Amino acid sequence: GFFYALTRVLVYYGITNQLPSSVGIKSLKLYESQSSLDKKNTISDLGPYLSSSTHCQVTNQAIVDLANKLTYGLTNSYDKAVAIYNYVRDEVSYSFYYDTRYGAVGTLNAGTGNCVDQAHLSVALYRAAGLPARYVHGTCVFSSGSTYGHVWAQVLLGDTWVVSDSTSTRNSFGVVVNWNNYNYNLNGYYADLGF
């Protein structure tokens, strides 16, 4: 954006021997999908993707306070999402067990959780920050060679549901490296999980 505009100014100056009276720079797209795990949004009613549920306590005071603290001073959805993602990835250790054990609030308090509970915490924090978020459930082949059922989150940025898998410190926001992104079985996308 900036370098393109500067180039145009220099070209204009070269032709006219004067500087233009104004320069317009269009803002760049907020998020450019980097992962095959991202999906274009086709959902018009995002209400269910912002609401609370049994294990995803969006309105719990600890969740609200943390979401506000993590996103304080941030003005765009991408920066907010990255701040929340990094917190869950870096502050919540991974534990292996099946299904939900703690939920979002319990995971925050315990400082540990499996993929399901880390997804509950991520989704609750995204939603508390005003970002629609959902769960994804699939069967994945991990870099260890093992195959497991797995849950991760997606958060809506612009028109794209962006992958958010905080279970490995090797992953980053929008990028998953601890399992095969091109060979997994997708079970579905959900506003809430029943397990």
Side-chain angles (χ1 to χ4, degrees):
F2 172 76
F3 293 106
Y4 175 73
L6 184 59
T7 302
R8 299 254 332 233
V9 168
L10 292 173
V11 168
Y12 182 89
Y13 185 81
I15 294 168
T16 65
N17 209 25
Q18 5 175 358
L19 290 171
S21 58
S22 66
V23 178
I25 300 176
K26 289 188 175 152
S27 66
L28 301 173
K29 240 178 114 171
L30 191 59
Y31 180 79
E32 194 62 47
S33 177
Q34 303 167 47
S35 173
S36 62
L37 301 171
D38 294 348
K39 298 296 174 223
K40 287 291 175 211
N41 183 41
T42 57
I43 300 164
S44 52
D45 176 16
L46 293 171
Y49 302 93
L50 286 163
S51 61
S52 241
S53 66
T54 304
H55 298 299
C56 182
Q57 306 97 327
V58 177
T59 57
N60 174 277
Q61 199 59 54
I63 297 291
V64 171
D65 290 348
L66 180 57
N68 288 339
K69 177 182 164 196
L70 293 173
T71 61
Y72 181 80
L74 302 178
T75 56
N76 69 64
S77 299
Y78 175 80
D79 290 343
K80 291 177 182 182
V82 169
I84 289 168
Y85 173 85
N86 287 344
Y87 175 87
V88 178
R89 181 197 60 196
D90 298 343
E91 301 300 325
V92 178
S93 64
Y94 178 79
S95 303
F96 183 89
Y97 52 88
Y98 294 102
D99 303 332
T100 297
R101 184 177 286 177
Y102 302 118
V105 174
T107 301
L108 179 60
N109 293 335
T112 189
N114 70 350
C115 59
V116 183
D117 279 329
Q118 288 197 27
H120 284 313
L121 180 56
S122 295
V123 169
L125 288 168
Y126 288 137
R127 291 177 180 181
L131 304 173
R134 67 184 182 183
Y135 300 89
V136 189
H137 180 219
T139 303
C140 304
V141 180
F142 287 83
S143 47
S144 64
S146 299
T147 301
Y148 291 107
H150 188 49
V151 172
W152 60 98
Q154 284 182 330
V155 59
L156 187 61
L157 296 182
D159 66 348
T160 304
W161 289 98
V162 180
V163 63
S164 168
D165 184 341
S166 60
T167 59
S168 171
T169 56
R170 294 183 295 137
N171 293 346
S172 54
F173 183 74
V175 179
V176 173
V177 296
N178 68 323
W179 54 270
N180 188 329
N181 297 198
Y182 301 96
N183 181 24
Y184 69 98
N185 292 320
L186 176 67
N187 296 337
Y189 302 100
Y190 309 94
D192 190 24
L193 281 183
F195 58 87

